[in-house]
Amino acid sequence: MTSPVSATAGPSRNGMVAARHLARWLGLVATPTFAIMAVLTVMLDGPADMLCGSGHGAMLGGMVPMYLLMSAFHSAAWLRLIAER
């Protein structure tokens, strides 16, 4: 018994290039998005911050530190862009 063979050979070169550009763009957008979310959370002090278990009293608790950490983790795309220039 033979196994079925796919009719397609895989993604085309144009599809791969488009996927890489999209991934790079998403990486660049993530850092400022998380930074803006941190600023808005501080300014609005909305109910999303109350969902965190540690509450307002803890220094590392809440949504603001989480958004700032996510912004820092996603800054590699910006560092790569700066290093290329």
Side-chain angles (χ1 to χ4, degrees), residues 14-81:
N14 289 339
M16 294 291 283
V17 170
R20 285 188 184 135
H21 286 294
L22 179 63
R24 185 175 181 149
W25 182 80
L26 286 173
L28 289 171
V29 171
T31 300
T33 300
F34 283 118
I36 290 169
M37 290 169 67
V39 169
L40 287 175
T41 303
V42 167
M43 289 174 55
L44 300 177
D45 197 30
D49 201 25
M50 292 179 200
L51 293 176
C52 252
S54 58
H56 295 283
M59 184 175 166
L60 293 177
M63 298 300 286
V64 175
M66 188 268 304
Y67 288 141
L68 292 175
L69 282 172
M70 293 300 290
S71 183
F73 291 149
H74 286 89
S75 65
W78 284 98
L79 297 174
R80 237 180 284 125
L81 181 68

